[in-house]
Amino acid sequence: MSDLLDLPTLPADDTGFDAAAFDAAFAVQRQHAAAGAYQASCEALEALLLTCPPTQLRRRAETLALLAHQYPRLGKLTASARCATAALGLAERLGDDALLADALTSQAYVYGQLLMGREALESGMRALAAARRAGDAVREAWALNRVGVAYSSLENPGQACASTEQALEIAARTEAPEALFSCHNNLAYFWLRRIEEATALGDAEALVEALASARRTAEQATVLARRSGSPFQVAISVSNLVNALLAGGLLDEALPLLNEFGHLAHDHGYRTLAIEADAQRAVFLRLKGEPLQASRILDALLHAASEPPPKLRRLLVRALYETHKACGQYREALAWLEELGGLDRQIRRDNLMLQTEVILIRDQVEQAQARADSATADARRERARATHLENEQQRLREHAMALDRAAHEDVLTGLHNRRHAEFALPLLVEGARMAGQVISVAALDVDHFKKINDSHGHAVGDAVLQQLAQLLRHRLRSADLMARIGGEEFLAVLVGIAPPQAAEICERLRLAVVEHDWAAVTPGLVVRISVGIAGGMPQQQQAQADGLLNRADHALYAAKRGGRNRVHVD
């Protein structure tokens, strides 16, 4: 791929370049990619790029961006990173936010696949900002989709689901089929991760939700994939659906889909997916009570003439470990578990090498582009633009890193904690200001909470806070910020909702608290809350955020002075 970027055989100028023919050929390859013909499309785009002169910045950037988007489907992550970085440099020189969003979106995905979580989140946030500047909803959906991938690489599947659900809402409005499919399919994968998480934690309630959500989103992705006519999309969506059904023990429903997945993967030469399909069949047999046959399949896959790559080998070794363990063959299970540990170390080393290679690629491409800059007036203007974009990049990097540091939950309630709230509130206020939306801040406090602790004990007090958090979740939108900011103090931020409507919402919450069956926690328990609300149309980011919080606190004190168990609006 490096020769495509160095381009030693390119024409030096536009002489003989047929722009109309190039554009027509490019459009055809975009259609082929949408139909799932990624290998043929990438080969044609590589050849097409060799005919495009260096002066055709926009056409080169669009071709590189499309290659960067498609290469991961072929397992070519470093090639994708190289194309994305090159497209990013050209987009910056052109000052084109749409192209910038495309390049950064692909870059975020590659970084996420290489477990470079912070870099992935930074690129995703920059892509999101560029898409919004361009006013392009489809690109905004893709950027949010890749922010979800970044969160997944940071081992935060809950936030990955939340970001992807936001992307899905936007994609559904735009009716962009590929973005819509990707959102549903990624959501299915993230919910599968949450099944593993809930299983490991022994959280039965979370497991039920994750199983249902994984199946629902995988089924939706499969419907969209069949509609697209892309066998690759059908294969990966059916794979997620099979995993969801197997996790739920629905073997009879999984079998025909497992057969379909296997045929698709083998018939179309999707080698990685073919191995995954065979591994799924082994899991199916183990769950069906045929562990010996499952072991034979897994052994055959491990010792095939073409050895599977480390990540797929890890999948097979883990399946063998679980199979022998389920059979009570603990000596064999222990041996596979030890090999699993060795594979994990190998994968970490491989990822570190790939991460280093990607960083070197980025540096090489940036240096090559720097050497191409001229000293003309146009170049000076481009440098000024690059400086502006660099400052924007630094600001977004700081926001992304702060978001990463602050993305922690309150252990007791599962809500965001105070640190997250202090970081997120100014961003929400600024977002509301830029969008021309109103915003409301509600400060909530449990009345006489010390008396509850003194009378019933701290364990009851903890149960009160946990159930109050559940009431908050049920009565506020998932997009609203909900945080526990003190012992019995909570904060809610409602974007797009004016204080009078916020008061109605909080009054319903207050009544729900009054009517809640607190006696089920302990006999004689009574819980009431006071709420203070402030809001309006934001004017300045930090000052307005601090002011809103102080006004909400004052309104809360007024509710307390007014007799408690009430909602007071500033």
Side-chain angles (χ1 to χ4, degrees), residues 212-457:
S213 298
R215 177 175 181 175
R216 171 177 50 81
T217 50
E219 286 175 340
Q220 291 167 334
T222 302
V223 169
L224 292 170
R226 296 190 194 285
R227 194 179 299 162
S228 75
S230 166
F232 183 82
Q233 288 188 6
V234 175
I236 59 177
S237 60
V238 168
S239 171
N240 282 334
L241 182 52
V242 169
N243 279 328
L245 293 171
L246 291 178
L250 303 172
L251 304 186
D252 290 339
E253 294 184 48
L255 182 58
L257 292 166
L258 178 56
N259 292 333
E260 179 186 7
F261 176 39
H263 287 310
L264 279 170
H266 286 284
D267 292 348
H268 289 276
Y270 303 143
R271 178 174 175 267
T272 298
L273 294 181
I275 296 174
E276 290 181 11
D278 292 340
Q280 280 184 343
R281 185 167 297 280
V283 172
F284 171 84
L285 290 169
R286 172 172 61 82
L287 294 174
K288 203 166 180 62
E290 301 179 30
L292 294 178
Q293 191 173 350
S295 296
R296 284 195 291 270
I297 291 175
L298 294 168
D299 276 324
L301 291 171
L302 274 176
H303 300 98
S306 178
E307 183 176 332
K311 288 186 179 180
L312 273 178
R313 185 175 179 83
R314 186 189 187 282
L315 173 70
L316 300 174
V317 170
R318 181 179 178 85
L320 276 166
Y321 157 69
E322 291 173 346
T323 299
H324 286 290
K325 182 181 176 183
C327 294
Q329 298 172 342
Y330 299 115
R331 185 185 300 275
E332 292 85 350
L334 179 60
W336 288 116
L337 184 61
E338 290 173 348
E339 180 164 345
L340 191 63
L343 274 173
D344 284 338
R345 289 189 292 274
Q346 179 185 344
I347 290 168
R348 283 195 293 271
R349 287 194 299 269
D350 291 346
N351 268 336
L352 184 59
M353 292 177 62
L354 284 172
Q355 290 169 11
T356 303
E357 185 177 354
V358 166
I359 291 170
L360 289 173
I361 286 171
R362 183 176 61 192
D363 291 342
Q364 291 168 2
V365 174
E366 288 173 353
Q367 290 170 12
Q369 290 166 349
R371 288 194 297 269
D373 288 339
S374 67
T376 61
D378 286 343
R380 286 194 297 271
R381 285 194 294 271
E382 290 299 330
R383 282 195 297 272
R385 187 189 299 276
T387 300
H388 169 73
L389 290 172
E390 184 178 351
N391 292 337
E392 182 73 359
Q393 177 184 6
Q394 180 62 29
R395 184 178 71 83
L396 288 168
R397 181 185 294 113
E398 292 169 358
H399 285 177
M401 291 177 66
L403 183 61
D404 181 29
R405 290 192 301 270
H408 300 292
E409 291 183 347
D410 173 58
V411 175
L412 178 63
T413 63
L415 300 179
H416 290 301
N417 60 18
R418 185 183 191 94
R419 181 170 60 175
H420 181 89
E422 289 174 345
F423 171 76
L425 179 57
L427 297 182
L428 291 172
V429 172
E430 174 66 3
R433 184 188 70 79
M434 293 178 66
Q437 293 180 304
V438 294
I439 190 170
S440 292
V441 175
L444 183 151
D445 186 270
V446 180
D447 295 336
H448 300 300
F449 187 70
K450 184 177 184 301
K451 183 177 178 181
I452 293 174
N453 277 334
D454 293 343
S455 301
H456 301 284

Side-chain angles (χ1 to χ4, degrees), residues 16-149:
F17 176 67
D18 189 337
F22 182 96
D23 293 343
F26 180 79
V28 168
Q29 296 313 316
R30 187 185 290 278
Q31 291 172 356
H32 287 170
Y38 300 117
Q39 181 70 46
S41 176
C42 285
E43 291 174 357
L45 287 169
E46 290 168 359
L48 197 59
L49 191 60
L50 289 171
T51 70
C52 188
T55 51
Q56 296 291 323
L57 299 185
R58 182 172 302 282
R59 288 182 171 88
R60 289 182 57 73
E62 289 173 346
T63 307
L64 287 164
L66 185 55
L67 279 167
H69 180 68
Q70 293 181 196
Y71 273 139
R73 273 81 170 174
L74 305 177
K76 298 180 178 180
L77 294 179
T78 53
S80 175
R82 184 179 291 275
C83 287
T85 305
L88 177 59
L90 293 174
E92 288 173 337
R93 291 170 65 184
L94 290 165
D96 188 315
D97 282 324
L99 279 174
L100 197 66
D102 289 343
L104 286 165
T105 295
S106 294
Q107 192 178 68
Y109 182 77
V110 171
Y111 287 160
Q113 294 301 301
L114 295 176
L115 303 183
M116 300 167 65
R118 292 192 177 189
E119 292 86 348
L121 189 57
E122 174 196 335
S123 294
M125 296 295 285
R126 287 187 63 201
L128 183 59
R132 286 173 174 169
R133 287 196 303 269
D136 191 315
V138 174
R139 286 182 167 92
E140 184 179 355
W142 273 112
L144 275 168
N145 182 307
R146 296 324 190 197
V147 168
V149 172

